[in-house]
Amino acid sequence: MSRILYTKETIQKRIAELGAEITQHYKGEEVVIVGVLKGAFIFMADLVRACNFPCTMDFLAVSSYGNSTTSSGNVKIVMDGKHVLIVEDICDTGLTLSYLLELLRARKPKSLEVCVFLQKSACLKATDLKLKWVGFQAEPVFVVGYGLDRAEEFRNLDYVGELKQEYYVKK
Ligand SMILES: O=P(O)(O)OC[C@H]1O[C@H](OP(=O)(O)OP(=O)(O)O)[C@H](O)[C@@H]1O
Ligand code: HPA
Ligand SMILES: [Mg+2]
């Protein structure tokens, strides 16, 4: 790890703000909160406890990075007239979220919104992607921690850091 980008305290403070905003937005409506596995599981666990409205939870299993630090371009999915809130750890190229939104729109939800922990705007490839809530705008570097992995490692860090290039680039 080369440097810490978001400390545990910074993350928790931002989640409290997001929870209050999302609670205000749905104002007691019933919502299905859909976490995108695996990366979103830690963010979702904290976010739902900062939200206060009737909700059920579900998860989608999606993977496009595998053990690589770049998107393979292929997203595989393993998983209805309700409000659906998708919770994701990161929007990098945006290809994963774009794919998921298209898929879930076909189910004709009452509403479909996204809350993403990190967004790397500089890396965006997907067009017409609307993210209603964004935790933090991240730099275009490979980040790990707080659910985010590099080859399944580092998900359990309670902070987010930049992964040093020498850890993942073979010389
Ligand atoms: O915006 P994109 O470029 O599509 O990248 C974002 C996606 O990549 C990561 O998933 P990954 O495939 O690593 O699966 P994981 O959540 O199990 O780590 C991350 O959790 C997002 O789902
Ligand atoms: O920067 C990242 N870190 C971990 N997983 C990711 N998936 C897309 N971008 C990233
Ligand atoms: Mg990953």
Side-chain angles (χ1 to χ4, degrees):
M1 191 89 54
S2 53
R3 84 201 143 99
I4 294 176
L5 298 172
Y6 308 103
T7 63
K8 180 182 176 179
E9 291 72 26
T10 305
I11 292 170
Q12 294 306 325
K13 185 167 170 275
R14 183 67 185 122
I15 285 173
E17 291 169 359
L18 287 171
E21 279 178 38
I22 294 169
T23 300
Q24 172 65 19
H25 176 82
Y26 288 111
K27 288 196 192 84
E29 294 268 19
E30 258 186 53
V31 182
V32 185
I33 301 182
V34 179
V36 184
L37 293 171
K38 300 174 200 167
F41 82 107
I42 291 182
F43 176 47
M44 174 136 156
D46 283 342
L47 186 70
V48 293
R49 285 178 289 176
C51 290
N52 184 12
F53 48 82
C55 60
T56 57
M57 278 153 238
D58 218 326
F59 292 91
L60 283 166
V62 167
S63 181
S64 62
Y65 278 65
N67 288 345
S68 172
T69 56
T70 52
S71 175
S72 65
N74 298 312
V75 181
K76 292 183 208 141
I77 185 161
V78 188
M79 161 166 167
D80 70 287
K82 292 206 172 178
H83 295 289
V84 174
L85 173 62
I86 299 182
V87 176
E88 239 310 22
D89 56 348
I90 191 164
C91 176
D92 193 316
T93 62
L95 295 174
T96 302
L97 271 171
S98 185
Y99 175 89
L100 277 180
L101 286 169
E102 200 181 312
L103 193 102
L104 293 181
R105 253 182 228 122
R107 309 292 287 261
K108 305 226 181 314
K110 224 178 197 174
S111 69
L112 184 59
E113 303 290 0
V114 177
C115 176
V116 70
F117 176 57
L118 299 178
Q119 181 181 24
K120 284 192 209 169
S121 294
C123 303
L124 194 65
K125 287 188 185 158
T127 52
D128 206 20
L129 186 59
K130 279 209 273 176
L131 309 177
K132 182 121 185 142
W133 295 282
V134 175
F136 300 98
Q137 288 292 343
E139 296 169 38
V141 295
F142 200 82
V143 294
V144 293
Y146 198 67
L148 291 146
D149 74 307
R150 147 66 181 144
E152 301 301 330
E153 273 189 273
F154 309 115
R155 292 195 201 270
N156 61 330
L157 301 178
D158 57 10
Y159 59 90
V160 171
E162 177 187 357
L163 187 69
K164 270 190 177 173
Q165 256 208 341
E166 51 261 43
Y167 286 145
Y168 62 90
V169 177
K170 287 202 178 105
K171 298 249 162 91

